[in-house]
Amino acid sequence: MTLTPKSRLIIALDVTDRTEALSIAEKLGGAVDAIKVNYPLVLVCGLGIIKDIKKYANVIADFKVADIPNTNSLICRETFEAGADAIICQGFVGKDSVKACVDVANKYGREVYVVTEMSHPGALDFLQPHAFELVDLAFRAGASGIIAPATRPERLVDIRCRAGDMKILSPGVGAQGGDARKAIDAGADFVIVGRSIYNAEDPYAAAVNFIEQLRR
Ligand code: 3DU
């Protein structure tokens, strides 16, 4: 699959209970563009949870893959065999490591997204000064897109200029302080929202609320 913006909302399903995860996926799968899984869920449930969630939505595996090319290839192969539509990798390990992910993704007809500047305060320590280089690296390696921070819309504007046609997925909305609408207006194609949806009393209503903000 190729991630295409419809609702522009991706849910980060970082719950650690299988029943809860599948219940949220079933309720929200039809409304969101993708469900992102990360280590908290996969370490508890195993990689097989990807196939179960795929019944309801496209799945992005946020494994922030950051190893030598051979290990990256093996991780990507297993993740795509498990059914993931896309994988997220780190760019700071260098172009060969990212390219290894892209090569495997191309074999499976799947996508790779590269982390550039992260959304938390610690991203200023090392990542921010190199964010544009990481955008360029993602492009040169043939990635489908990048991850850039909704917590800093002013940075999103600059990163968008640098990213050309690559898609931008933007985490940090809600619990981390970012605003969904501002992130899209600044150039993101999708926002990623976790706690503000899955911790809400009514996750479906919370998701619909974000989708309405994104439609305006
Ligand atoms: O803060 P939230 O609960 O909305 O979750 C955000 C998700 O996105 C979570 O899975 C986190 O690991 C991921 N993420 C970031 O928050 C920031 C990044 O720069 C990259 C990924």
Side-chain angles (χ1 to χ4, degrees):
M1 79 89 197
T2 305
L3 200 56
T4 14
K6 291 179 198 121
S7 67
R8 298 186 181 272
L9 178 63
I10 295 169
I11 177 166
L13 196 51
D14 294 332
V15 297
T16 51
D17 178 84
R18 181 187 167 80
T19 309
E20 188 187 1
L22 293 178
S23 156
I24 294 175
E26 184 177 9
K27 279 188 203 124
L28 295 187
V32 299
D33 287 345
I35 293 176
K36 184 177 82 63
V37 298
N38 197 337
Y39 293 110
L41 181 63
V42 172
L43 289 174
V44 173
C45 300
L47 212 47
I49 191 76
I50 292 178
K51 277 217 169 72
D52 296 329
I53 293 175
K54 260 198 77 64
K55 291 179 202 145
Y56 308 113
N58 297 319
V59 176
I60 301 172
D62 183 2
F63 294 159
K64 297 191 181 68
V65 185
D67 217 309
I68 59 168
N70 183 62
T71 308
N72 275 9
S73 300
L74 296 171
I75 294 169
C76 288
R77 187 186 73 195
E78 295 310 318
T79 304
F80 294 136
E81 283 290 335
D85 297 283
I87 195 164
I88 295 175
C89 73
Q90 290 285 9
F92 62 74
V93 274
K95 187 178 161 217
D96 54 353
S97 291
V98 174
K99 180 78 171 37
C101 297
V102 172
D103 287 345
V104 178
N106 287 344
K107 271 190 211 140
Y108 283 85
R110 314 287 167 81
E111 294 191 300
V112 173
Y113 292 86
V114 180
V115 176
T116 59
E117 182 172 320
M118 293 184 76
S119 55
H120 64 314
L124 306 186
D125 295 345
F126 296 107
L127 283 173
Q128 188 179 78
H130 299 285
F132 295 152
E133 293 160 81
L134 291 167
V135 175
D136 295 348
L137 182 149
F139 179 77
R140 288 201 315 273
S144 298
I146 55 170
I147 313 294
T151 45
R152 291 178 215 103
E154 73 288 355
R155 294 286 296 163
L156 270 179
V157 170
D158 293 342
I159 289 172
R160 172 81 271 165
C161 289
R162 192 90 176 202
D165 288 341
M166 283 194 296
K167 288 175 269 189
I168 298 182
L169 279 49
S170 194
V173 167
Q176 295 181 52
D179 178 85
R181 184 69 245 173
K182 280 190 189 149
I184 296 294
D185 290 344
D189 298 290
F190 302 87
V191 293
I192 297 171
V193 186
R195 284 164 287 178
S196 298
I197 292 179
Y198 66 72
N199 281 342
E201 210 164 293
D202 181 346
Y204 185 78
V208 167
N209 186 34
F210 277 110
I211 291 168
E212 277 165 9
Q213 289 174 41
L214 295 172
R215 220 181 262 140
R216 265 187 277 128

